[in-house]
Amino acid sequence: MFRRLLQAGLLRIAARVCAFLFLLTADNGFSSKVPVLSPERQIDLSFLGKVVEPPLNRLVEFVDQDTLAVAFVVHNPRPPKLVRRGEFDENSAFSVHVALLNAHSGQTLIQADWPTDFPRHSGIVAATNSGLLVLLGNRVALYSDNLKLQEQVQLPGNDREVWVGRASPSGRNALFIQDAGLKPATWAWVNATQLRVLRIWRNVPPEPGGQGSPVSDRYITYIRCLPPGGRPPCTLTAQALNGEMLRRVGGINLRYGPPEFVGDSLILVRGWPGDISIVNLAKKHVIRRRSPGFIGSVLGLPASAPDVSRFVVPAFSRDHVLQYLDVFDGPTAHLHVFRVPGLPPAGHSPWLVTLPSGVSLAPDGRLLAVMENFHTLLIFKLPPPEGH
């Protein structure tokens, strides 16, 4: 009798486990109910060279509605030359190779190389109305829309310290965090359009999991976990530029990714697969959304459109193949879900997005650029945002 009860219990457990795995792997008919979004264009990026090391900064960024900036860190192609007093050394082993592309035709408009000694800590941080904000190890530079140097500023500390840049959704402000590992670090809040340091924090405790802190044009945030190490429960604290404590958001689980600003006062928090919460810091309001298409998927970093209230959250399979795009519109976070077609024909690589930094949304929210394997850029055309 006991053996039969035990067997029945084991069968019930096995059935529940199988049902749970089915939910994680199956579309449950959801994928057949949402529109399929195919790329409008595929742009070959092989002319940019071979990526030396995956960077921590952005690989692709919309400069305006019609122009894309793509940046790879490659071996410096320039021959050594004599450096004059006051000039930066161009004899570095590595270089940030950047190209401006026409998003509609794929035509290369202009290219440039910027030497750097810090390959992983160099690249585009944001696109602003003034041009491109670029991090080159321990130096922040502002380049014009024709890739000419406008201004530059040295971050605090010695020449060998390296930094990670986090930009606001509009690109007008950026938070630079010293990459100090498990040691206390220095933070610098920089106005990207004027390249002016607004505030510096020193001896800031390390972020759990090294996630870094999201920043908007009004607020910075930091995350603390008890117990330490990035395990729940974690609390996100938002702070205004003047130092005023604004709000704390608790119950954050970094297992599903760090919180991200998707608007000046909106923070996206990932929950259990498929669950997303959008916290409005200004109104202390929370909007919760659930996408059945995201069950069992890995959510990438969101891409925001600075001119409209729209942001996109990509979802990848466990082997990093792009599957779905969740598009949120308006202050109510109205949800559109799009399914991306399956793998390309045999013999081609899958639609693998190596880093979340390879996704960018145009300022008006109608074009989405997705990096594929460091050699192809996929351009998707989205429907107009709600109310536009």
Side-chain angles (χ1 to χ4, degrees), residues 44-59:
D44 183 12
L45 301 177
S46 59
F47 68 92
L48 284 174
K50 183 179 179 181
V51 176
V52 173
E53 193 173 1
L56 298 176
N57 297 290
R58 302 199 66 81
L59 298 168

Side-chain angles (χ1 to χ4, degrees), residues 135-157:
L135 177 64
L136 299 171
N138 52 21
R139 177 167 56 97
V140 182
L142 184 63
Y143 288 87
S144 66
D145 54 6
N146 60 358
L147 304 185
K148 299 297 182 183
L149 180 64
Q150 290 182 306
E151 296 182 62
Q152 56 192 345
V153 64
Q154 191 81 22
L155 292 170

Side-chain angles (χ1 to χ4, degrees), residues 296-319:
S297 298
V298 179
L299 302 184
L301 292 179
S304 300
D307 293 348
V308 293
S309 181
R310 163 172 280 190
F311 61 94
V312 176
V313 183
F316 308 96
S317 66
R318 293 298 174 181
D319 52 354

Side-chain angles (χ1 to χ4, degrees), residues 184-214:
T186 300
W187 289 9
W189 194 353
V190 176
N191 180 292
T193 57
Q194 301 174 359
L195 206 59
R196 181 168 57 93
V197 178
L198 301 177
R199 188 171 177 183
I200 293 177
W201 293 264
R202 301 186 186 277
N203 297 318
V204 180
E207 293 286 287
Q211 302 283 4
S213 288

Side-chain angles (χ1 to χ4, degrees), residues 252-332:
I252 292 176
N253 188 347
L254 294 181
R255 175 183 177 185
Y256 302 112
E260 293 289 339
F261 272 102
V262 291
D264 195 30
S265 302
L266 299 180
I267 291 183
L268 179 144
V269 180
R270 301 168 182 83
W272 197 80
D275 289 335
I276 290 178
S277 296
I278 301 102
V279 181
N280 191 325
L281 295 178
K283 298 182 179 180
K284 297 187 177 180
H285 180 61
V286 178
I287 300 173
R288 290 184 170 85
R289 291 288 181 265
R290 181 169 178 80
S291 174
F294 278 6
I295 293 179
S297 298
V298 179
L299 302 184
L301 292 179
S304 300
D307 293 348
V308 293
S309 181
R310 163 172 280 190
F311 61 94
V312 176
V313 183
F316 308 96
S317 66
R318 293 298 174 181
D319 52 354
H320 304 287
V321 176
L322 183 62
Q323 290 183 314
Y324 292 93
L325 296 172
D326 252 17
V327 181
F328 296 86
D329 282 334
T332 61

Side-chain angles (χ1 to χ4, degrees), residues 41-354:
R41 186 166 294 99
Q42 300 187 27
I43 303 175
D44 183 12
L45 301 177
S46 59
F47 68 92
L48 284 174
K50 183 179 179 181
V51 176
V52 173
E53 193 173 1
L56 298 176
N57 297 290
R58 302 199 66 81
L59 298 168
V60 56
E61 187 75 82
F62 272 94
V63 178
D64 54 45
Q65 182 56 36
D66 304 311
T67 310
L68 274 163
V70 182
F72 286 175
V73 177
V74 299
H75 288 289
N76 194 348
R78 298 182 179 182
K81 76 170 194 175
L82 183 64
V83 180
R84 299 178 181 177
R85 182 185 298 270
E87 291 183 350
F88 284 95
D89 189 1
E90 296 188 1
N91 299 326
S92 303
F94 306 100
S95 178
V96 177
H97 189 175
V98 63
L100 297 185
L101 309 174
N102 185 294
H104 306 284
S105 66
Q107 177 187 1
T108 302
L109 306 176
I110 190 172
Q111 299 184 58
D113 287 287
W114 304 319
T116 178
D117 290 324
F118 311 94
R120 276 181 61 80
H121 295 81
S122 296
I124 298 172
V125 175
T128 73
N129 294 334
S130 305
L132 289 176
L133 187 70
V134 178
L135 177 64
L136 299 171
N138 52 21
R139 177 167 56 97
V140 182
L142 184 63
Y143 288 87
S144 66
D145 54 6
N146 60 358
L147 304 185
K148 299 297 182 183
L149 180 64
Q150 290 182 306
E151 296 182 62
Q152 56 192 345
V153 64
Q154 191 81 22
L155 292 170
N158 60 57
D159 292 342
R160 304 309 301 175
E161 291 178 351
V162 289
W163 299 72
V164 177
R166 299 290 299 275
S168 66
S170 71
R172 291 192 292 268
N173 287 272
L175 181 67
F176 292 93
I177 302 172
Q178 181 189 8
D179 193 352
L182 299 178
K183 300 179 181 178
T186 300
W187 289 9
W189 194 353
V190 176
N191 180 292
T193 57
Q194 301 174 359
L195 206 59
R196 181 168 57 93
V197 178
L198 301 177
R199 188 171 177 183
I200 293 177
W201 293 264
R202 301 186 186 277
N203 297 318
V204 180
E207 293 286 287
Q211 302 283 4
S213 288
V215 61
S216 76
D217 293 333
R218 299 174 59 188
Y219 314 113
I220 67 163
T221 64
Y222 54 89
I223 300 171
R224 296 292 178 264
C225 299
L226 292 174
R231 297 180 180 179
C234 298
T235 299
L236 178 142
T237 301
Q239 182 176 327
L241 178 58
N242 61 7
E244 178 187 358
M245 204 68 66
L246 181 70
R247 187 176 177 189
R248 287 186 173 90
V249 180
I252 292 176
N253 188 347
L254 294 181
R255 175 183 177 185
Y256 302 112
E260 293 289 339
F261 272 102
V262 291
D264 195 30
S265 302
L266 299 180
I267 291 183
L268 179 144
V269 180
R270 301 168 182 83
W272 197 80
D275 289 335
I276 290 178
S277 296
I278 301 102
V279 181
N280 191 325
L281 295 178
K283 298 182 179 180
K284 297 187 177 180
H285 180 61
V286 178
I287 300 173
R288 290 184 170 85
R289 291 288 181 265
R290 181 169 178 80
S291 174
F294 278 6
I295 293 179
S297 298
V298 179
L299 302 184
L301 292 179
S304 300
D307 293 348
V308 293
S309 181
R310 163 172 280 190
F311 61 94
V312 176
V313 183
F316 308 96
S317 66
R318 293 298 174 181
D319 52 354
H320 304 287
V321 176
L322 183 62
Q323 290 183 314
Y324 292 93
L325 296 172
D326 252 17
V327 181
F328 296 86
D329 282 334
T332 61
H334 180 78
L335 173 63
H336 312 267
V337 181
F338 298 96
R339 182 166 57 93
V340 177
L343 300 180
H348 295 270
S349 60
W351 289 6
L352 175 65
V353 180
T354 308

